[in-house]
mmCIF file of all heavy atoms in Angstrom:
data_model
loop_
_atom_site.group_PDB
_atom_site.id
_atom_site.type_symbol
_atom_site.label_atom_id
_atom_site.label_comp_id
_atom_site.label_asym_id
_atom_site.label_seq_id
_atom_site.Cartn_x
_atom_site.Cartn_y
_atom_site.Cartn_z
ATOM 1 N N ALA J 425 96.116 118.132 103.210
ATOM 2 C CA ALA J 425 96.412 118.047 101.797
ATOM 3 C C ALA J 425 95.192 118.547 100.948
ATOM 4 O O ALA J 425 95.393 119.300 100.041
ATOM 5 C CB ALA J 425 96.815 116.679 101.430
ATOM 6 N N PHE J 426 94.043 118.136 101.302
ATOM 7 C CA PHE J 426 92.796 118.554 100.624
ATOM 8 C C PHE J 426 92.584 120.041 100.732
ATOM 9 O O PHE J 426 92.090 120.670 99.747
ATOM 10 C CB PHE J 426 91.674 117.720 101.044
ATOM 11 C CG PHE J 426 91.609 116.307 100.564
ATOM 12 C CD1 PHE J 426 92.591 115.803 99.766
ATOM 13 C CD2 PHE J 426 90.564 115.468 100.982
ATOM 14 C CE1 PHE J 426 92.586 114.446 99.291
ATOM 15 C CE2 PHE J 426 90.502 114.148 100.525
ATOM 16 C CZ PHE J 426 91.489 113.626 99.701
ATOM 17 N N SER J 427 92.897 120.595 101.812
ATOM 18 C CA SER J 427 92.663 122.041 102.031
ATOM 19 C C SER J 427 93.562 122.847 101.126
ATOM 20 O O SER J 427 93.295 123.973 100.779
ATOM 21 C CB SER J 427 92.886 122.383 103.475
ATOM 22 O OG SER J 427 94.266 122.436 103.780
ATOM 23 N N GLN J 428 94.715 122.256 100.718
ATOM 24 C CA GLN J 428 95.607 122.930 99.750
ATOM 25 C C GLN J 428 95.282 122.584 98.283
ATOM 26 O O GLN J 428 95.934 123.209 97.423
ATOM 27 C CB GLN J 428 97.105 122.496 100.058
ATOM 28 C CG GLN J 428 97.505 122.978 101.454
ATOM 29 C CD GLN J 428 98.955 122.592 101.748
ATOM 30 O OE1 GLN J 428 99.904 123.002 101.121
ATOM 31 N NE2 GLN J 428 99.108 121.666 102.758
ATOM 32 N N GLY J 429 94.408 121.772 98.045
ATOM 33 C CA GLY J 429 93.900 121.514 96.694
ATOM 34 C C GLY J 429 94.388 120.129 96.080
ATOM 35 O O GLY J 429 94.162 119.941 94.945
ATOM 36 N N MET J 430 94.970 119.285 96.961
ATOM 37 C CA MET J 430 95.241 117.858 96.452
ATOM 38 C C MET J 430 93.938 117.178 96.182
ATOM 39 O O MET J 430 92.999 117.322 96.982
ATOM 40 C CB MET J 430 96.067 117.212 97.499
ATOM 41 C CG MET J 430 96.491 115.798 96.957
ATOM 42 S SD MET J 430 97.698 114.944 98.039
ATOM 43 C CE MET J 430 99.106 115.877 97.928
ATOM 44 N N ARG J 431 93.960 116.452 95.058
ATOM 45 C CA ARG J 431 92.766 115.799 94.613
ATOM 46 C C ARG J 431 92.539 114.342 95.169
ATOM 47 O O ARG J 431 91.478 113.944 95.423
ATOM 48 C CB ARG J 431 92.729 115.659 93.022
ATOM 49 C CG ARG J 431 92.565 117.089 92.383
ATOM 50 C CD ARG J 431 92.682 116.891 90.973
ATOM 51 N NE ARG J 431 92.403 118.223 90.277
ATOM 52 C CZ ARG J 431 91.243 118.548 89.727
ATOM 53 N NH1 ARG J 431 90.221 117.703 89.831
ATOM 54 N NH2 ARG J 431 91.101 119.758 89.205
ATOM 55 N N TYR J 432 93.647 113.650 95.324
ATOM 56 C CA TYR J 432 93.596 112.251 95.601
ATOM 57 C C TYR J 432 94.758 111.830 96.466
ATOM 58 O O TYR J 432 95.979 112.108 96.081
ATOM 59 C CB TYR J 432 93.524 111.436 94.254
ATOM 60 C CG TYR J 432 93.061 109.979 94.321
ATOM 61 C CD1 TYR J 432 91.727 109.637 94.450
ATOM 62 C CD2 TYR J 432 94.017 108.998 94.295
ATOM 63 C CE1 TYR J 432 91.338 108.359 94.436
ATOM 64 C CE2 TYR J 432 93.589 107.611 94.400
ATOM 65 C CZ TYR J 432 92.268 107.321 94.386
ATOM 66 O OH TYR J 432 91.866 106.044 94.411
ATOM 67 N N PHE J 433 94.565 111.224 97.573
ATOM 68 C CA PHE J 433 95.578 110.868 98.483
ATOM 69 C C PHE J 433 95.637 109.359 98.725
ATOM 70 O O PHE J 433 94.667 108.750 99.278
ATOM 71 C CB PHE J 433 95.368 111.550 99.854
ATOM 72 C CG PHE J 433 96.552 111.598 100.789
ATOM 73 C CD1 PHE J 433 97.300 112.680 100.903
ATOM 74 C CD2 PHE J 433 96.857 110.452 101.496
ATOM 75 C CE1 PHE J 433 98.288 112.725 101.755
ATOM 76 C CE2 PHE J 433 97.901 110.434 102.412
ATOM 77 C CZ PHE J 433 98.621 111.572 102.569
ATOM 78 N N SER J 434 96.694 108.673 98.307
ATOM 79 C CA SER J 434 96.942 107.249 98.524
ATOM 80 C C SER J 434 97.977 107.045 99.548
ATOM 81 O O SER J 434 99.002 107.796 99.518
ATOM 82 C CB SER J 434 97.317 106.497 97.211
ATOM 83 O OG SER J 434 96.228 106.604 96.226
ATOM 84 N N TYR J 435 97.850 106.006 100.245
ATOM 85 C CA TYR J 435 98.833 105.771 101.369
ATOM 86 C C TYR J 435 98.864 104.225 101.620
ATOM 87 O O TYR J 435 97.958 103.484 101.234
ATOM 88 C CB TYR J 435 98.339 106.505 102.616
ATOM 89 C CG TYR J 435 96.932 106.089 103.045
ATOM 90 C CD1 TYR J 435 96.702 105.106 103.983
ATOM 91 C CD2 TYR J 435 95.802 106.716 102.378
ATOM 92 C CE1 TYR J 435 95.402 104.663 104.264
ATOM 93 C CE2 TYR J 435 94.560 106.286 102.728
ATOM 94 C CZ TYR J 435 94.372 105.262 103.612
ATOM 95 O OH TYR J 435 93.032 104.887 103.912
ATOM 96 N N TYR J 436 99.877 103.774 102.330
ATOM 97 C CA TYR J 436 99.912 102.377 102.668
ATOM 98 C C TYR J 436 101.101 102.243 103.741
ATOM 99 O O TYR J 436 101.898 103.097 103.870
ATOM 100 C CB TYR J 436 100.193 101.440 101.470
ATOM 101 C CG TYR J 436 101.393 101.768 100.593
ATOM 102 C CD1 TYR J 436 102.666 101.155 100.879
ATOM 103 C CD2 TYR J 436 101.342 102.648 99.561
ATOM 104 C CE1 TYR J 436 103.755 101.421 100.109
ATOM 105 C CE2 TYR J 436 102.434 102.942 98.855
ATOM 106 C CZ TYR J 436 103.653 102.313 99.044
ATOM 107 O OH TYR J 436 104.702 102.627 98.251
ATOM 108 N N SER J 437 101.123 101.110 104.389
ATOM 109 C CA SER J 437 102.170 100.867 105.302
ATOM 110 C C SER J 437 103.349 100.248 104.608
ATOM 111 O O SER J 437 103.167 99.402 103.751
ATOM 112 C CB SER J 437 101.683 99.833 106.450
ATOM 113 O OG SER J 437 102.755 99.619 107.289
ATOM 114 N N SER J 438 104.527 100.675 104.940
ATOM 115 C CA SER J 438 105.686 100.257 104.273
ATOM 116 C C SER J 438 106.031 98.765 104.408
ATOM 117 O O SER J 438 106.736 98.212 103.583
ATOM 118 C CB SER J 438 106.989 101.036 104.679
ATOM 119 O OG SER J 438 107.158 100.820 106.122
ATOM 120 N N ASP J 439 105.375 98.047 105.402
ATOM 121 C CA ASP J 439 105.608 96.722 105.506
ATOM 122 C C ASP J 439 104.468 95.795 105.005
ATOM 123 O O ASP J 439 104.473 94.590 105.194
ATOM 124 C CB ASP J 439 105.877 96.343 107.023
ATOM 125 C CG ASP J 439 104.654 96.584 107.855
ATOM 126 O OD1 ASP J 439 103.686 97.223 107.470
ATOM 127 O OD2 ASP J 439 104.565 96.107 109.018
#
Side-chain angles (χ1 to χ4, degrees):
F426 284 0
S427 71
Q428 295 181 65
M430 186 175 287
R431 291 174 175 266
Y432 195 81
F433 193 104
S434 295
Y435 56 95
Y436 56 92
S437 177
S438 61
D439 66 345

